[in-house]
Amino acid sequence: MPGSLPAVCEAAWPKDVGIIAMEVYVPSQFVDQAELEEYDGVGSGKYTVGLGQARMGFCSDREDINSLCLTVVQRLMERSGLSYDSVGRLEVGTETIIDKSKSTKTVLMQLFEESGNTDVEGVDTTNACYGGTAALFNAVNWVESSSWDGRYAVVVAGDIAVYATGSARPTGGAGAVAMLVGPNAPLAFERGLRGTHMQHAYDFYKPDMVSEYPVVDGKLSIQCYLSALDRCYSVFRNKIHAQWQREGVERRCSLEDFGFMVFHSPYCKLVQKSLARLMLNDFMCHPSPNTESGPFSGLEAFRDVKIEDTYFDRDVEKAFMKASSELFENKTKASLLISNQNGNMYTPSVYGCLASVLAQHTPQQLAGQRIGVFSYGSGFAATLYSIRVTQDATPGSALDKMVSSLCDLQARLDSRKKVSPGVFAENMKLREETHHLANYIPQGSVEELSPGTWYLTRVDEKHRRQYARRSMDDHRPLEAGLLTAAEHIPSPLKKMPRIPTTTAGPEVVISNGDH
């Protein structure tokens, strides 16, 4: 049939394409959500219990989307001990747009200049919080395509999530995640297992080009998120059932088939409700669920509900959150470390959740597990897909190196500086008043930034931005040599010399204009 894939083609695909290494960057300052409750004059627990948030990271006017991505990409390359020559594709997913034409990816190319490598495909991808996932799919597809030349792909998801004063502000955050993509990966994408749902809605959008703030319909946004989750889970299960039938396996897919489930996290409480929602789907799709004992015990009263009528049904929500509490503890709670401590990072959110799982488990606990990943972006676009963790958890393995590189996430979060809600509000006001100004020198303190962080030094009269990197001299060097290109990816057709990486020294200045 036209468009079908001959079976012989599958043998030619690179094996186990997926994520080889990850790096996470969060801002060096945060505001305590309990203190923010008091400052905002709302009821105690509104942000901490109602939303499930403890801290919120934020950026001064010294950081923008370009600087976040510069920082996380350089840290990924340094910690991995990689040459910039070893990268053939670089994709950025973001909704933090500071230029309607020039991509953040082009700014990142200045990191490649010393290596002389300009043969790097990819640009920016935008659709609310889904852009990072679209960029990751592009990178995976490139490695599996005839265009692949044997080099790595790097995917960056980064955003600064800020809201106007009001009920949405505590759901903000900021950060970036960079991922190294290639074959023989410890986190391999399961081929053919993507359930996608895309639809038009005005649940969250940014029509004002001179403001960072979005327009949000909170209730509609929750309905869109949950309905997308239902649809994606249904499509995913149909696809995995079809695979199993081809293999002669007759069984039903349920939450029990996932070792871990991670979700895009606008706020932590919605993630807990989302896992309960998947259990509701399992319950409603089961031909004869046992309501006398087991996970569905006591749920017989909900057997005849229509799933499209349950988005705001408190009785259904309460019953299934209770029924899924153990599953949440085992499969999802660990994923909320960064989300709880830093807030919503938009495109990096779900990948911060994935990194949180890796950071809090041993390679032996992760080996062989299937990780379900649900990515949602308003407007709206969503996909539920699965990652299979390698079985090799031996010391020095790719999985061991990945876990080792992320095991200090809690320490990184704890090392940040807490500021008062008043200082946070002043920073938000400064960002609001100076957003998109030309001929502007940022006022934020460089000393408050973590060593090795890229930051904005000025915006000239033509809106060209210039950046510098804070010296690493006053901080321990980033760990290097976690992996090398030769360990995982075949050499490309031409020999690529390694370029020594530097983790200390004077500040380096680059710009996003002439250089």
Side-chain angles (χ1 to χ4, degrees):
M1 184 174 179
S4 63
L5 182 67
V8 292
C9 289
E10 192 166 338
W13 281 332
K15 184 182 178 183
D16 294 334
V17 177
I19 302 169
I20 295 170
M22 298 182 74
E23 181 55 49
V24 178
Y25 172 72
V26 296
S28 59
Q29 300 183 92
F30 71 89
V31 62
D32 183 272
Q33 292 276 18
E35 294 179 6
L36 194 59
E37 289 171 343
E38 184 177 355
Y39 181 84
D40 289 346
V42 302
S44 176
K46 185 175 178 66
Y47 305 157
T48 52
V49 179
L51 297 177
Q53 301 300 122
R55 298 172 174 179
M56 178 168 54
F58 69 93
C59 299
S60 73
D61 65 340
R62 281 290 179 186
E63 294 187 274
D64 61 13
I65 185 57
N66 292 342
S67 70
L68 294 186
C69 292
L70 284 165
T71 297
V72 79
V73 169
Q74 186 155 17
R75 288 187 178 184
L76 176 74
M77 299 299 285
E78 287 174 346
R79 289 171 72 98
S80 301
L82 289 173
S83 161
Y84 284 94
D85 273 334
S86 65
V87 177
R89 190 174 186 91
L90 174 61
E91 294 258 355
V92 177
T94 185
E95 62 172 275
T96 306
I97 307 302
I98 57 176
D99 191 285
K100 293 184 289 185
S101 176
K102 183 174 174 59
S103 70
T104 293
K105 183 272 178 80
T106 61
V107 178
L108 298 180
M109 286 306 300
Q110 290 169 106
L111 295 174
F112 289 71
E113 286 183 356
E114 185 180 355
S115 72
N117 179 21
T118 59
D119 180 17
V120 183
E121 296 184 3
V123 286
D124 292 4
T125 302
T126 302
N127 188 86
C129 302
Y130 188 81
T133 293
L136 183 57
F137 288 173
N138 288 345
V140 170
N141 294 344
W142 175 71
V143 174
E144 291 189 338
S145 77
S146 61
S147 299
W148 186 52
D149 63 5
R151 292 182 292 170
Y152 291 114
V154 171
V155 175
V156 194
D159 276 303
I160 299 173
V162 290
Y163 294 84
T165 304
S167 60
R169 175 158 280 186
T171 63
V177 174
M179 294 168 278
L180 191 69
V181 175
N184 305 315
L187 303 183
F189 279 61
E190 293 196 284
R191 275 201 193 102
L193 296 184
R194 297 183 193 170
T196 293
H197 179 72
M198 302 211 175
Q199 189 175 332
H200 167 63
Y202 280 115
D203 59 325
F204 169 111
Y205 53 107
K206 296 179 179 177
D208 187 350
M209 299 308 233
V210 298
S211 172
E212 288 191 285
Y213 299 145
V215 176
V216 185
D217 184 331
K219 185 174 182 180
L220 177 60
S221 187
I222 292 172
Q223 181 175 332
C224 290
Y225 182 105
L226 295 177
S227 67
L229 178 61
D230 292 340
R231 302 286 183 86
C232 290
Y233 191 42
S234 176
V235 174
F236 180 92
R237 286 184 309 181
N238 288 340
K239 289 184 177 181
I240 200 168
H241 288 158
Q243 281 194 9
W244 287 344
Q245 286 178 352
R246 288 194 296 270
E247 296 166 359
V249 176
E250 290 294 334
R251 55 179 297 196
R252 304 189 64 80
C253 177
S254 72
L255 280 173
E256 295 298 332
D257 291 293
F258 298 91
F260 301 96
M261 278 295 310
V262 302
F263 302 81
H264 166 60
S265 180
Y267 53 92
C268 293
K269 188 54 71 72
L270 182 59
V271 169
Q272 188 173 358
K273 293 177 180 179
S274 296
L275 188 78
R277 185 98 192 156
L278 294 185
M279 188 178 192
L280 170 63
N281 276 265
D282 285 349
F283 175 69
M284 297 189 69
C285 292
H286 198 292
S288 54
N290 181 359
T291 57
E292 300 296 326
S293 62
F296 299 139
S297 177
L299 298 175
E300 65 276 358
F302 305 104
R303 187 62 182 147
D304 296 325
V305 300
K306 294 182 178 179
I307 199 161
E308 63 270 18
D309 296 334
T310 60
Y311 300 127
F312 303 103
D313 188 319
R314 298 300 296 274
D315 292 333
V316 170
E317 179 183 286
K318 184 178 179 180
F320 281 87
M321 284 184 70
K322 180 180 179 181
S324 63
S325 60
E326 185 176 349
L327 289 176
F328 174 75
E329 290 288 327
N330 295 333
K331 297 180 184 293
T332 301
K333 186 176 181 180
S335 72
L336 296 178
L337 172 63
I338 294 178
S339 181
N340 172 264
Q341 296 288 305
N342 185 58
N344 183 8
M345 299 187 291
Y346 287 168
T347 54
S349 171
V350 69
Y351 300 103
C353 290
L354 177 60
S356 295
V357 169
L358 301 175
Q360 296 177 88
H361 292 87
T362 66
Q364 292 73 26
Q365 291 171 324
L366 295 164
Q369 297 285 359
R370 171 181 285 127
I371 302 176
V373 181
F374 176 68
S375 178
Y376 175 83
S378 293
F380 59 92
T383 298
L384 192 154
Y385 64 95
S386 58
I387 289 172
R388 179 67 78 174
V389 183
T390 178
Q391 293 281 2
D392 185 3
T394 57
S397 65
L399 178 61
D400 181 60
K401 291 173 182 176
M402 176 180 278
V403 170
S404 295
S405 73
L406 295 169
C407 67
D408 65 342
L409 270 185
Q410 183 67 68
R412 294 191 226 174
L413 292 166
D414 291 342
S415 70
R416 297 172 301 164
K417 178 183 178 181
K418 184 176 80 168
V419 303
S420 69
V423 172
F424 165 69
E426 289 172 4
N427 274 272
M428 293 300 99
K429 188 172 186 292
L430 177 63
R431 290 190 66 91
E432 182 178 334
E433 292 175 345
T434 61
H435 178 65
H436 211 61
L437 280 187
N439 201 20
Y440 174 69
I441 297 177
Q443 302 172 34
S445 169
V446 174
E447 285 67 35
E448 299 295 347
L449 301 173
S450 302
T453 300
W454 284 94
Y455 61 91
L456 182 66
T457 59
R458 72 182 296 254
V459 183
D460 73 12
E461 68 281 358
K462 293 185 177 181
H463 289 274
R464 294 176 297 189
R465 293 172 177 248
Q466 296 179 356
Y467 302 87
R469 191 188 193 201
R470 190 177 175 203
S471 172
M472 294 290 296
D473 286 342
D474 57 345
H475 193 60
R476 64 178 178 83
L478 293 168
E479 295 180 25
L482 293 175
L483 54 90
T484 63
E487 287 180 306
H488 298 292
I489 293 190
S491 299
L493 296 179
K494 62 179 182 178
K495 183 175 176 61
M496 293 192 170
R498 291 182 60 82
I499 305 298
T501 57
T502 302
T503 59
E507 294 180 348
V508 181
V509 179
I510 64 175
S511 73
N512 76 335
D514 297 333
H515 54 269

